[in-house]
Amino acid sequence: MKSEVIITIENLTKRFPEGDSEFTALSKINLEFSRGEFAGVVGPSGSGKTTLLNIIGSLDKPTEGRVSVLSNDISKLSHKESAMLRNMHIGFIFQVYNLLPVYTVFENVEFALMLQKKSKSERTKSVMEALEWVGLQDIPNKKVTKLSGGEGQRVAIARAMVKKPELVIADEPTANLDAVNAHSILETMKNLNKEFNTTFLFSTHDEKVMSYLDRIIHLRDGKLESDEIIHHKITAK
Amino acid sequence: MIQFLLKGILRDKSRSILPIIIVSAGVFLTVLLSGYMKGVFGDVIDQSARFDTGHVKVMSRAYAENIDQLPNDLALLGVTEIVGSLKNQYPEMDWVKRIKFGGLIDVIDKEGNSKGQGPVAGLSFELFSGTGKEIKRMNIEKSIVIGRVPLKPNEALISNEFAQKLNLSIGDEVTYIGSTMNGSMAFSVFKICGTITFGVAQMDRGSIIIDVSDAQKILDMEDGAGEILGFQRNDIYQVEEAELISDKFNASYASDPDEFAPMMVSLQKQNDLEFMINYSNSISAILIGFFIFAMSLVLWNTGLLSGLRRYKEFGIRLALGEAKGQIYRTFTYEAIIVGIIGSVIGTVLGVSAVYYLQVVGIDISGMLDQLSSSMMMPSVLRGKITPNLFYIGFVPGLLAMVLGNMLSGLGIYKRQTATLMKELEV
Ligand SMILES: Nc1ncnc2c1ncn2[C@@H]1O[C@H](COP(=O)(O)OP(=O)(O)O)[C@@H](O)[C@H]1O
Ligand SMILES: [Mg+2]
């Protein structure tokens, strides 16, 4: 059975004003993503990866073309509606500036649920569960400023996943991590992807990330270069 | 959510300490200055009323014109009738006669030789009236250093400082030398029944205090008085009412061309007190306005300095699914919380400082000796705690914090989401 399509991108073009003229960051992109995919946009720096993910995440709008995410036409969403879409259905993980300083691990994760107006008991239960997914259940009260880079990214994953979103957008999540930590968080995300059938969309130019992806989309200068499904060899352990 | 913000504020010292210090300092100064100025202005006005101007004062037109020279030759006559009619018309007010006069005091020893001399400012009040109102009004009993209030003719109180200078003690006799209403020489012997210190520079330099009837006698002012003072209910000054009464009074004499006809002047029309009354009423508003302006600018800048942290937080929260307006609003709540904390601290400190000034005061008597103002300056400046001190600080504290914060957040708020996210990529 072919799985449900949750993201449709048709003829997406994004231009940014640049001085008096315009700069084309994305040009005529056509893509579809189905529920449960573990896919990545790959390309050199400046190729338009972040721009594409931001539009899918409704942080930005297309200049031309149609982008539909979970049956929402991104162009037509008001500022509040797009905030609502992110709040309820999309989790973000960024390369940096990820966590709210001064708050603890627990509170950072909890914040996502506070925005959904969940009750305290519901929040506590979900947060502890999410911290267990990422292996941080023992340090809920640690200040995030005291965490290592790997731990910080785990908190970000827990925060993105705690609301059980349909889609997680991860923009170069391993860029600041060493190999061990990178593999470890990718492992974690892959497991969550399998367990909850959450769709993961990455942007990366990290080989390590690519080795986990089921689908790799190459971007170059804002154009779609290739789109390939990866068939991982089943390795017997 | 508020709880969440509060946690953040309390933990992030770098974000809260500076604004809290700024707000506390501004609120502290607002409260302190308000309380202090109110106290000083209030004292000046109050003392002027009691000792000098009354709430309204009736004089002859000619006397009023030359009031600085104590022109008793221009004093009102037939004052019993005038006072009677004033009492009739305004029974709720207290009307009293006063005579001020100048002259010399000569102290004679047992052999009849002059022991010492000095110029005096003579003051006469209704001490023998039996109501005791004037005695209470000027707090004479408490101000007496030794001795008592004059009880019978030819008894006098004398400034304590003056008495020490002339080496006078109770029971001593002094001769007053001056001029009568008609310009002839006035001589009169008084027995010192007490010495007094009012704590009002002008009154403590060298005064002799006697009853009005004595003054009338020695100055040849039968049924005359330099001034008739009117005091409003409970000795509390009511500006509008005083104006109304004096306007009405003066209107009734408008067609009288006589320069000796009586005229009435309200407190604020005397001794430049009007500006002080106006200031006293608006001092809090002026200070609040000033501090809102100054603190907003400072806090705006402090806000801009912490902009990067703000930026990050804004970006994260946008991604987490908050709308810009919502984030901006919580920043404002944060400002309100910080503003309240700062205002509470500032108010507590400010009120304490005013309380200290109310109890201790600042002694300016040394300064006043060189100052020859017609204004009644108390020699110790005191603050005054009024109920409004407990809340006025919150107005500039909160407004400045919120305003400063909104201004500094505006830049972030106006950015396109995409631009913001782009700028956040380091
Ligand atoms: N908000 C923006 N305003 C102007 N130019 C932008 C903006 N966002 C991205 N760009 C430009 O678009 C191009 C693609 O950027 P981006 O999507 O961030 O690339 P990548 O994530 O692949 O490194 C870059 O040249 C970048 O300068
Ligand atoms: Mg990027």
Side-chain angles (χ1 to χ4, degrees):
Chain A
M1 188 189 99
K2 193 170 186 318
S3 54
E4 174 200 359
V5 173
I6 58 166
I7 300 169
T8 315
I9 298 168
E10 288 166 10
N11 261 321
L12 166 65
T13 295
K14 178 69 184 179
R15 285 188 283 266
F16 292 111
E18 194 183 59
D20 291 336
S21 61
E22 282 185 323
F23 172 82
T24 306
L26 292 173
S27 176
K28 300 219 157 67
I29 307 284
N30 287 287
L31 281 171
E32 270 187 358
F33 293 97
S34 306
R35 188 178 293 284
E37 280 200 69
F38 203 73
V41 184
V42 173
S45 181
S47 55
K49 306 184 293 292
T50 298
T51 306
L52 177 61
L53 292 193
N54 281 354
I55 291 172
I56 294 171
S58 78
L59 285 168
D60 204 352
K61 298 217 178 268
T63 311
E64 277 163 29
R66 210 180 71 88
V67 175
S68 165
V69 176
L70 299 162
S71 315
N72 294 282
D73 186 336
I74 296 293
S75 306
K76 291 193 178 129
L77 293 181
S78 71
H79 177 80
K80 273 197 180 146
E81 284 164 343
S82 64
M84 208 52 179
L85 173 65
R86 293 194 294 276
N87 184 4
M88 301 310 289
H89 304 293
I90 305 176
F92 282 89
I93 301 162
F94 298 101
Q95 171 183 344
V96 280
Y97 68 83
N98 240 322
L99 304 173
L100 298 170
V102 306
Y103 293 105
T104 62
V105 168
F106 184 94
E107 287 160 350
N108 260 278
V109 179
E110 185 188 18
F111 192 75
L113 296 177
M114 286 177 69
L115 296 183
Q116 296 186 340
K117 310 227 150 60
K118 291 259 164 51
S119 74
K120 179 75 192 167
S121 59
E122 247 180 306
R123 293 201 306 259
T124 309
K125 187 169 156 285
S126 304
V127 171
M128 286 318 293
E129 196 179 17
L131 289 179
E132 229 160 280
W133 297 336
V134 298
L136 293 179
Q137 66 274 22
D138 294 333
I139 51 165
N141 294 321
K142 203 161 173 179
K143 290 269 164 60
V144 295
T145 42
K146 303 229 164 71
L147 299 178
S148 69
E151 286 171 328
Q153 238 15 1
R154 285 175 182 281
V155 178
I157 295 168
R159 186 181 59 193
M161 284 301 297
V162 71
K163 54 192 181 188
K164 305 223 175 96
E166 270 122 312
L167 172 64
V168 169
I169 293 177
D171 194 350
E172 313 214 25
T174 58
N176 284 347
L177 299 182
D178 58 38
V180 177
N181 272 307
H183 280 295
S184 156
I185 70 149
L186 281 161
E187 206 72 62
T188 304
M189 288 193 274
K190 184 80 204 173
N191 288 339
L192 290 167
N193 162 253
K194 285 207 187 107
E195 183 170 352
F196 298 107
N197 205 25
T198 309
T199 310
F200 275 75
L201 277 187
F202 291 82
S203 99
T204 189
H205 47 249
D206 181 351
E207 296 286 340
K208 296 187 286 295
V209 178
M210 289 179 227
S211 67
Y212 284 82
L213 299 176
D214 298 334
R215 178 182 173 190
I216 295 179
I217 294 144
H218 279 274
L219 274 188
R220 181 172 293 276
D221 296 333
K223 292 191 187 73
L224 191 70
E225 209 176 45
S226 66
D227 180 356
E228 49 180 326
I229 308 288
I230 314 289
H231 298 285
H232 293 283
K233 297 187 193 81
I234 317 254
T235 44
K237 288 204 173 156
Chain B
M1 191 68 174
I2 293 290
Q3 202 187 344
F4 196 78
L5 295 175
L6 197 61
K7 259 190 225 164
I9 291 168
L10 292 178
R11 286 185 201 158
D12 189 354
K13 304 286 189 299
S14 68
R15 115 161 74 165
S16 48
I17 287 274
L18 191 59
I20 286 179
I21 289 175
I22 295 167
V23 172
S24 310
V27 169
F28 169 75
L29 287 175
T30 310
V31 172
L32 174 63
L33 290 175
S34 286
Y36 185 56
M37 305 284 255
K38 265 242 161 84
V40 171
F41 286 0
D43 277 357
V44 169
I45 292 163
D46 192 54
Q47 294 197 347
S48 292
R50 289 167 199 278
F51 289 112
D52 184 20
T53 61
H55 295 151
V56 296
K57 185 193 273 188
V58 180
M59 304 161 275
S60 79
R61 289 170 183 165
Y63 183 98
E65 209 148 283
N66 301 291
I67 191 158
D68 294 337
Q69 298 153 26
L70 304 177
N72 279 324
D73 52 326
L74 307 175
L76 286 170
L77 293 175
V79 289
T80 311
E81 194 193 319
I82 299 174
V83 170
S85 96
L86 285 169
K87 278 186 172 158
N88 250 336
Q89 261 183 294
Y90 306 104
E92 77 285 358
M93 286 177 69
D94 190 34
W95 299 94
V96 296
K97 302 183 287 274
R98 289 190 188 175
I99 298 172
K100 293 188 219 163
F101 54 96
L104 278 178
I105 284 287
D106 190 39
V107 186
I108 310 151
D109 66 12
K110 301 223 166 56
E111 283 81 48
N113 296 322
S114 177
K115 226 168 54 167
Q117 264 188 357
V120 277
L123 301 163
S124 63
F125 308 123
E126 294 182 3
L127 301 176
F128 300 165
S129 69
T131 64
K133 276 191 180 154
E134 288 275 87
I135 294 170
K136 215 172 122 207
R137 179 168 292 133
M138 279 165 291
N139 207 12
I140 290 177
E141 251 154 16
K142 290 237 172 71
S143 307
I144 286 178
V145 182
I146 44 169
R148 57 163 174 78
V149 181
L151 292 175
K152 47 185 192 284
N154 289 332
E155 283 189 340
L157 277 170
I158 193 161
S159 303
N160 193 50
E161 213 186 294
F162 196 50
Q164 281 173 353
K165 214 159 58 189
L166 294 177
N167 213 356
L168 286 168
S169 46
I170 290 181
D172 284 355
E173 289 193 341
V174 295
T175 311
Y176 164 77
I177 308 162
S179 66
T180 68
M181 187 177 180
N182 314 313
S184 43
M185 200 73 148
F187 270 105
S188 199
V189 175
F190 286 97
K191 193 178 204 161
I192 306 297
C193 64
T195 70
I196 192 163
T197 299
F198 283 109
V200 179
Q202 276 194 330
M203 310 277 299
D204 291 332
R205 278 180 199 152
S207 310
I208 183 164
I209 295 161
I210 59 176
D211 187 73
V212 167
S213 60
D214 272 355
Q216 285 175 331
K217 213 160 52 198
I218 61 168
L219 301 173
D220 250 344
M221 298 172 69
E222 201 181 330
D223 202 21
E227 307 172 353
I228 298 167
L229 268 47
F231 290 93
Q232 290 166 310
R233 245 164 284 113
N234 304 324
D235 273 11
I236 293 165
Y237 186 44
Q238 310 285 345
V239 186
E240 287 85 12
E241 196 192 49
E243 283 293 275
L244 236 84
I245 293 171
S246 50
D247 285 352
K248 196 174 152 204
F249 183 88
N250 294 333
S252 67
Y253 288 94
S255 57
D256 190 339
D258 188 355
E259 64 168 331
F260 291 103
M263 62 177 284
M264 191 185 279
V265 188
S266 62
L267 179 150
Q268 77 258 34
K269 293 285 155 62
Q270 304 177 54
N271 298 357
D272 300 323
L273 288 172
E274 187 154 32
F275 100 98
M276 201 163 260
I277 286 169
N278 292 340
Y279 256 115
S280 164
N281 288 335
S282 49
I283 191 76
S284 301
I286 294 168
L287 285 168
I288 287 171
F290 172 77
F291 278 106
I292 289 177
F293 179 74
M295 294 196 310
S296 299
L297 289 186
V298 177
L299 291 166
W300 178 7
N301 270 289
T302 340
L304 290 178
L305 287 180
S306 61
L308 186 66
R309 181 191 60 75
R310 275 282 134 99
Y311 248 69
K312 287 187 174 182
E313 190 177 332
F314 217 104
I316 295 166
R317 288 169 61 175
L318 271 177
L320 281 175
E322 273 185 284
K324 276 197 212 169
Q326 201 179 339
I327 302 174
Y328 196 61
R329 207 160 44 241
T330 63
F331 282 4
T332 306
Y333 294 155
E334 238 180 72
I336 291 173
I337 295 173
V338 169
I340 288 176
I341 296 174
S343 300
V344 168
I345 296 174
T347 300
V348 169
L349 293 177
V351 169
S352 313
V354 173
Y355 180 72
Y356 176 81
L357 285 177
Q358 182 171 315
V359 175
V360 177
I362 298 174
D363 193 336
I364 56 157
S365 47
M367 241 163 73
L368 285 177
D369 286 345
Q370 285 124 50
L371 205 90
S372 63
S373 147
S374 58
M375 226 175 248
M376 284 274 165
M377 285 298 280
S379 43
V380 177
L381 298 186
R382 294 182 190 281
K384 182 161 174 58
I385 295 192
T386 49
N388 74 342
L389 288 189
F390 289 91
Y391 60 79
I392 54 163
F394 285 80
V395 181
L398 276 174
L399 273 184
M401 188 62 208
V402 170
L403 215 65
N405 189 71
M406 282 175 109
L407 284 170
S408 58
L410 215 57
I412 307 177
Y413 184 69
K414 280 195 170 157
R415 286 254 199 327
Q416 291 278 313
T417 306
T419 323
L420 206 114
M421 299 309 290
K422 175 84 196 150
E423 283 170 35
L424 283 170
E425 272 189 51
V426 192

